[in-house]
């Protein structure tokens, strides 16, 4: 193979990777509340029976949450294995799925607000209600603990 053919091959591969790769649509205002104003204070008070705060949940709860996130819950399809919102099904969605590696997002939300969206969805987006159709409320609390763990700060 001549040098120029190698370069051409490399460029073609690079172009294929760029166009063929799944990149989710941009997130819409991740720091803006999703729970409607009249339901927000009640949602903020909703607490898990499994832990005080999801970010301090015991390791075994986080591990169960991971299994549910990647399995029964199907969250991985949109939110991605790395939690960055780049899952294969999320690629076709606008707005894009939430990027759980964003610590600023986590600081803005109480655990109960995340639960509210998992139960009620975020109207007009690909985030549909998943409790109780897909997972139980207890499953969702476990997944919330795992989602919090994507923020590494
Ligand atoms: C079909 C794709 C899809 C699946 C599956 C999915 N989500 Fe989402 N999710 C989204 C999208 C899109 C958004 C962004 C919605 C918005 O911007 O309002 C989102 C947003 C969220 C949010 C952020 C809510 C907020 O307050 O901003 C949480 C929490 C969430 N999803 C949890 C989950 C959990 C837990 C699962 C699995 C049980 C899951 N999602 C499965 C598409 C999905």
């Amino acid at each position: 193979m001549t040098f120029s053919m190698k370069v051409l091959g490399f460029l073609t591969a690079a172009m294929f990777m760029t166009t063929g790769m799944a990149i989710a649509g941009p997130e819409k205002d991740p720091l803006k509340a999703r729970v409607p104003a009249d339901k927000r204070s009640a949602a903020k008070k909703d607490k898990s029976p499994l832990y005080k705060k999801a970010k301090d949940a015991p390791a075994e709860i986080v591990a169960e949450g991971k299994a549910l996130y990647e399995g029964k819950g199907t969250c991985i399809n949109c939110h991605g294995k790395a939690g960055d919102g780049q899952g294969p099904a999320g690629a076709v969605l606008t707005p894009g799925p939430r990027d759980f590696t964003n610590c600023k997002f986590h600081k803005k939300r109480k655990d109960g607000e995340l639960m509210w969206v998992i139960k009620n969805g975020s109207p007009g987006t690909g985030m549909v209600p998943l409790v109780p159709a897909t997972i139980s409320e207890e499953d969702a609390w476990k997944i919330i603990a795992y989602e919090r763990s994507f923020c590494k700060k």
Side-chain angles (χ1 to χ4, degrees), residues 30-52:
L31 305 185
K32 228 178 102 190
R34 290 301 190 268
V35 181
D38 61 328
K39 307 212 163 67
R40 209 173 299 146
S41 70
K44 283 184 179 184
K45 284 182 203 126
D46 192 12
K47 294 233 160 58
S48 168
L50 303 172
Y51 45 72
K52 266 198 169 140

